[in-house]
Amino acid sequence: MTGFTPALMQDYALTVDRFLDHGAKWHDAARVVTAGGSDDDQTIGYRDLRDRANRLSGALLGLGLGPGDRVATLAWNTQNHMEVWYAAMGAGMVCHTLNPRLTLAQLAAMAVEAGDRVLAISADLRPLGDALMAACPSLEHLILLDGEPGQAEPRVIDLETLIAARGRSVAWGEFEETTLAGLCFTSGTTGAPKGVGYTHRSNYLHTIRSLQADAMALTADDVILVAVPMFHANAWGLPFAAPAVGASLVLPGRVTGGPALDRLIRSHGATVAVGVPTVWLGLVDHLDLTGGDLPSLKRIILGGAPCPDALLQRLESRLGVTVQTSWGMTELSPLGAISPATAQPHARRGAGRAPMGLDLLLTDEAGRPLEEQRNAVGRLKVRGQSVIQRYYGAETSALDAEGWFDTGDLAKIDDAGNLALAGRSKDLIKSGGEWINPMEIEEIIGALPSVSLVAVIGRVDAKWGERPVMIIEPTGDAAPDPAALRAALKGRVADWWIPDQIVAVEQMPLAATGKINKTQLRAVFGDA
């Protein structure tokens, strides 16, 4: 027979609602926990969560929304927030996660650009929600999450009242897998934020990528503490990955301080904890004060910012856990590389290896691939099924002529395929016509026990153009001696790389994503 080949496999759309369907059918013993007080954590199984999210889809349709409409969220890591995710995405709407730590002007600009019609907001953020409603003509309804039921105004309604009044079961996933599912704007710490749109297909394939045995390696036996915000890059995909394998989730709400995380890990037997390094610094500081241990915890997955080696070693020795370092970007959905839990300790100090589904390329400044892709520093480019093609609303592609996305990072790949970041190209300091790489200095100083956090920025200099300034947050009350810090660099970097100015700060400024905010540091210390 010629001219026609019948389909040999089922047409099974890769839509994210299937993850919660799977969890509800096969893993209802797993739990989604939302932190309350010491005795009133909220707990639900996947079956009931799926039922509530599905009826919420019907309620959103009852408000006049339809496929493709934008549902914004301004909320913490809670059960209700997760329900809105699946309710919007399951019905073909777009879930636009907004960061509560941004300014009203920033949030309004994003909501206007996205054309958001509904804002689901944690009740404790109500004043910010009211201000956004006034600033954004497209917003028609405000849905209050995580609060007491009973709020009903012409344009404001609490979640429980909405589900009770308009909730109904609807069919999920009746659309193409290339349908837009989520929208997240980059942090904008180095420029105007840009929107990144995630399709159902990209989220689905990213979930498979993250679950590989040499990646996050989650199973139904795991209890995952998600300290990475749900408003940041899909919470690294964990609200999809957990029900996909039947793992339990522990959602800390607004509070991610050391005492709160200690209690949640103990109370619910968390086995895996995920978040930026500064979160876990607070946890070990708390445990050092109280003398406690966390025997259930087996792994910590770090990301969002480079982790000083001293902190990494402290986490592993103090908590008795395996630390997996990772690297990613909002534009990658976000996982780009991760160190396998089974790797030797020295191989878990970099950014890790790229899981199947993502490819890496090193180029020179002109974009030409390096002739040797191993053990040489180059600009890092990526491509894959969950990598951005163009920014939201942009008419031009974000890719080069060969289909690669330029991450803006400098990196090196060793013989075993381990990725090591060598700094951001925009962070390089040009002094006397020669380049200084701040990350090399930060890695050396960050390994000192007396230094909790370190950042190196360029300061305007009349003679040299720029000179490096080192800003440190000490581990204890006393700042390290500047002479000792310079001595630690002597012989390990060029003499002219060694910073002339060293500043100790009580607390390092952090961006909304938990990274050190170098933009703020430059504003304070970068002028001559």
Side-chain angles (χ1 to χ4, degrees), residues 48-303:
D48 288 340
L49 192 148
R50 194 261 179 213
D51 178 66
R52 284 174 52 84
N54 185 257
R55 288 189 290 123
L56 179 55
S57 292
L60 293 174
L61 293 170
L63 290 176
L65 276 71
D69 282 333
R70 276 59 169 156
V71 176
T73 67
L74 194 65
W76 313 109
N77 287 19
T78 66
Q79 170 193 319
N80 285 172
H81 194 181
M82 189 168 173
E83 288 165 349
V84 175
W85 272 36
Y86 277 98
M89 297 182 196
M93 302 169 198
V94 182
C95 183
H96 174 200
T97 52
L98 291 166
N99 186 338
R101 295 167 183 151
L102 298 178
T103 67
L104 173 62
Q106 290 171 318
L107 294 170
M110 294 173 185
V112 167
E113 184 175 345
D116 297 329
R117 292 187 60 190
V118 168
L119 175 62
I121 185 169
S122 288
D124 64 342
L125 296 171
R126 172 71 189 274
L128 182 55
D130 289 339
L132 267 177
M133 291 284 285
C136 303
S138 65
L139 287 174
E140 302 167 20
H141 300 282
L142 189 69
I143 302 173
L144 298 179
L145 311 178
D146 313 321
E148 294 296 324
Q151 185 75 38
E153 302 172 19
R155 299 175 66 197
V156 182
I157 189 168
D158 76 82
L159 180 70
E160 301 305 326
T161 301
L162 176 62
I163 293 176
R166 296 181 180 267
R168 60 183 176 87
S169 297
V170 298
W172 271 354
E174 296 188 333
F175 41 79
E176 296 293 325
E177 63 184 35
T178 51
T179 298
L180 192 63
L183 180 62
C184 180
F185 281 75
T186 59
S187 61
T189 56
T190 59
K194 297 178 181 179
V196 178
Y198 306 112
T199 66
H200 282 263
R201 181 178 186 273
S202 70
N203 281 334
Y204 198 105
L205 294 174
H206 178 272
T207 301
I208 294 173
R209 185 163 89 227
S210 69
L211 289 174
Q212 292 174 42
D214 276 349
M216 291 188 177
L218 303 174
T219 75
D221 293 328
D222 281 316
V223 178
I224 310 163
L225 175 65
V226 185
V228 59
M230 290 176 66
F231 52 75
H232 175 56
N234 285 335
W236 300 356
L238 291 163
F240 302 137
V245 296
S248 292
L249 281 175
V250 180
L251 305 174
R254 182 171 190 162
V255 181
T256 56
L261 295 180
D262 178 18
R263 184 190 71 80
L264 288 172
I265 292 170
R266 292 175 189 273
S267 298
H268 303 287
T271 61
V272 180
V274 187
V276 298
T278 49
V279 169
W280 311 120
L281 174 62
L283 176 62
V284 292
D285 282 346
H286 167 73
L287 291 174
D288 283 348
L289 287 174
T290 62
D293 292 305
L294 301 173
S296 69
L297 195 61
K298 306 304 179 188
R299 291 189 287 146
I300 290 180
I301 300 175
L302 295 177

Side-chain angles (χ1 to χ4, degrees), residues 369-389:
L370 298 185
E371 184 175 340
E372 179 51 63
Q373 289 288 306
R374 294 291 190 269
N375 303 307
V377 175
R379 291 186 69 99
L380 178 61
K381 295 187 177 183
V382 298
R383 64 182 178 190
Q385 309 103 322
S386 304
V387 177
I388 191 171
Q389 178 169 313

Side-chain angles (χ1 to χ4, degrees), residues 363-449:
T363 75
D364 62 18
E365 285 298 313
R368 295 182 294 263
L370 298 185
E371 184 175 340
E372 179 51 63
Q373 289 288 306
R374 294 291 190 269
N375 303 307
V377 175
R379 291 186 69 99
L380 178 61
K381 295 187 177 183
V382 298
R383 64 182 178 190
Q385 309 103 322
S386 304
V387 177
I388 191 171
Q389 178 169 313
R390 60 171 47 85
Y391 287 99
Y392 180 78
E395 295 182 359
T396 58
S397 174
L399 310 180
D400 66 17
E402 285 71 45
W404 294 92
F405 174 72
D406 189 343
T407 66
D409 283 310
L410 302 174
K412 182 168 64 174
I413 303 171
D414 69 14
D415 290 329
N418 297 304
L419 177 71
L421 298 183
R424 297 283 290 170
S425 59
K426 63 179 177 58
D427 288 339
L428 295 178
I429 299 167
K430 199 164 192 179
S431 184
E434 301 290 339
W435 291 108
I436 296 172
N437 188 341
M439 191 169 184
E440 292 188 36
I441 301 173
E442 291 164 354
E443 285 181 347
I444 295 169
I445 299 300
L448 301 177

